[in-house]
Amino acid sequence: MADLTDLTEDLACYLQSAAVGVSVGDMQAVTRQCNAYYDARQSCYQLPLGRLQWLDLTLYLPRHSSAKTIKSARTATLKAVLAWYKTSCVADSNDNQHKHDRSDNGQSDDQSDDQSDDQSDDQSDDQSDNQNHDKKSRRDVLVFDIVFFDKTEMSADIPTLSPQQRLANRLTHHFDTAYFMEDLVIDMSGEPRPLQIFSHADWQKLSSTLQTPCELWRFLRCHLQQLQQSLSDQRAHFEKMADLVTQFLYSPSVFTHAITIDNALIKAGVQDAPNAALIAMTLAHKNQSSTAQMYQQHMAQAATLWS
């Protein structure tokens, strides 16, 4: 599973449901074909800006697997997860609709007067609004790790590795835009809640660079928008995840939300004048501070103060 960083430790404060093992149906074919094993666990976090559904999947491959086998197994695993995810989304949608219908039927049976009918309509509208809000304020991510193992490290059908062994036997891989345009072509245009895919290395980069859960949430929105735009234009809007992280951190939009909040505080009478630190950081960004380290500190401070 993913290593602990400052951000993942912060995320633990928002954990809504602990990690539970999930069975990804089509993975059985992948493991048989490659003599591999997998472990998948799903967690749910209720962040200030919305709900984060996190699937952590580790694929264990024999140590001496060929490059062709690794590539094939990686793609087959993603296809299996995407199929499982699509089925899960349909099941969630049907379950929500069933609850909605059952709620409507129960209210209509028990309530007969006009006032009760009005309350039923209001409750139905509220529930519908909540469902729409849930779709808009939810992010689903896959963090995909690949680790090599020997048969001597097997225990109960899952390789037993210490954190040090996992680090030493981990395959560093990435999912850039080109991968989803050439190797695994996916259509995100019609997906109401697309699954955002990250390698373990890329997720660790996010966890070590981004400062707060709210900043992670905004990055996920940025990542999804950039990926969808790349697939639509058939032109990569970012080459590597590290490039997108840098682009996100250096974007002036980081100050937009901060300035909005600052103005609201002044209007509400909570503070008398604009925040001096915000003004200084905005000017530093505008003038492109000559010291890169200082610039990064500006961005980290902004994320901490206004996320």
Side-chain angles (χ1 to χ4, degrees), residues 14 33 47-48 69 71 87 92 143 148 150 152 170 177 205-206 238 249 307:
Y14 299 96
Q33 183 177 358
L47 305 183
T69 297
K71 181 178 180 180
T87 301
D92 288 345
V143 179
F148 297 112
D150 290 323
T152 57
R170 175 172 287 132
T177 309
K205 174 67 175 177
L206 300 182
F238 66 93
L249 289 176
S307 289

Side-chain angles (χ1 to χ4, degrees), residues 151-172:
K151 285 294 183 181
T152 57
E153 298 164 333
M154 294 299 299
S155 174
D157 293 334
I158 291 294
T160 303
L161 302 173
S162 68
Q164 293 76 15
Q165 289 175 313
R166 290 177 65 87
L167 181 62
N169 294 287
R170 175 172 287 132
L171 173 68
T172 299

